[in-house]
Amino acid sequence: MLIKEKLNMDVPELFKNGAITIVAFGDSVTHGCAAGGEMIYDEVYHNRLKKMILAKRDFVPVNVINSGIGSTTASWSLERLERDVVAHNPDIVIVCFGLNDCGYPLEKYVDALDKIFARCKEIGAQTIFLTPNMLNTKPLTEGDEGLIEFSKYTARRQNEGVFDLYINEGKKVAEKHGVQIADAYAKWKEMAANGIDTDKLLANGINHPTPEMHQLFADEIMKLIFSDNDEISTTVELGLDKK
């Protein structure tokens, strides 16, 4: 059952089918990392998405499971797929990897996404590939020496088109499995092409979007879940006599 259908459930249907469950599976952005060790759990994209869904109808509970872990890759996360995703019997799985994967062989990223998407589809979950934000285009000029050196590396990966390649290949894997794509990366590239300094949209100047930019992710996912003509009930039937 799709989320937009579950959102219309009354008490007997809720009793039968259970609440809406969304699992967000990814790296530090999904985890909620911003800058300097700050965690922005209330403002991360999947919590923004939850609030947007409940704004349509707030009777059916929406449970969001944050299965993001900072510094991980899609490949490393395969071993936790059953525990952190499948075990929750999700209605929707949002998969967002790439920022760390681009430091490792492309084949490992593609193979891991292939396995993740296949398993999520196997359990009947609506699966969405959320492409990440851009990396920095300019190195940091002050702060921790280690971060400055890392920012030089990530800027090269972005500016030389390496990260573009990873995202494009990830999208091909999603299309192969019939997985929906919330292409936030394309939005970031569009902003850059229009002269916006996207580095200023990164909380840590490298790879973590500012709290405000998490709304872009939520908006792109929302477009896939609902269409403008979706009718959501605003009434609640409390009877328990239905079979």
Side-chain angles (χ1 to χ4, degrees), residues 171-236:
K171 288 162 65 175
K172 289 179 183 177
V173 180
E175 290 168 353
K176 167 188 167 183
H177 288 279
V179 166
Q180 294 176 294
I181 300 172
D183 202 354
Y185 188 71
K187 295 293 184 180
W188 280 72
K189 293 286 287 187
E190 183 180 332
M191 287 188 288
N194 289 332
I196 295 173
D197 184 355
T198 52
D199 285 29
K200 292 182 178 179
L201 306 178
L202 298 171
N204 64 348
I206 300 176
N207 55 7
H208 295 161
T210 61
E212 295 77 15
M213 289 308 297
H214 276 267
Q215 187 61 49
L216 183 149
F217 298 137
D219 289 342
E220 292 304 303
I221 298 167
M222 195 73 173
K223 291 175 187 175
L224 296 180
I225 298 174
F226 298 100
S227 62
D228 291 339
N229 59 359
D230 283 329
E231 293 185 4
I232 304 299
S233 173
T234 56
T235 61
V236 179

Side-chain angles (χ1 to χ4, degrees), residues 56-213:
K56 283 187 170 287
R57 186 172 188 246
D58 63 5
F59 175 68
V60 177
V62 177
N63 300 315
V64 173
I65 309 297
N66 184 348
S67 290
I69 299 179
S71 301
T72 56
T73 67
S75 180
W76 297 346
S77 296
L78 283 173
E79 65 182 70
R80 63 189 184 92
L81 179 61
E82 296 298 315
R83 180 196 69 195
D84 291 353
V85 177
V86 175
H88 297 293
N89 191 27
D91 296 289
I92 285 187
V93 180
I94 302 166
V95 179
C96 186
F97 289 100
L99 292 167
N100 300 319
D101 300 84
C102 73
Y104 298 89
L106 176 61
E107 294 76 16
K108 293 189 72 171
Y109 179 55
V110 169
D111 179 67
L113 287 183
D114 187 65
K115 290 182 168 96
I116 291 169
F117 292 149
R119 184 65 175 124
C120 291
K121 297 290 284 186
E122 183 179 34
I123 64 173
Q126 182 180 354
T127 308
I128 296 173
F129 177 40
L130 173 62
T131 59
N133 48 274
M134 287 174 56
L135 293 164
N136 59 304
T137 61
K138 300 179 292 295
L140 298 175
T141 57
E142 56 184 30
D144 180 84
E145 279 297 321
L147 285 178
I148 290 175
E149 287 304 309
F150 181 59
S151 74
K152 292 177 182 177
Y153 171 76
T154 51
R156 289 196 300 271
R157 302 298 273 182
Q158 183 65 63
N159 295 331
E160 294 172 3
V162 176
F163 198 39
D164 287 353
L165 174 63
Y166 277 67
I167 300 306
N168 288 335
E169 289 301 310
K171 288 162 65 175
K172 289 179 183 177
V173 180
E175 290 168 353
K176 167 188 167 183
H177 288 279
V179 166
Q180 294 176 294
I181 300 172
D183 202 354
Y185 188 71
K187 295 293 184 180
W188 280 72
K189 293 286 287 187
E190 183 180 332
M191 287 188 288
N194 289 332
I196 295 173
D197 184 355
T198 52
D199 285 29
K200 292 182 178 179
L201 306 178
L202 298 171
N204 64 348
I206 300 176
N207 55 7
H208 295 161
T210 61
E212 295 77 15
M213 289 308 297

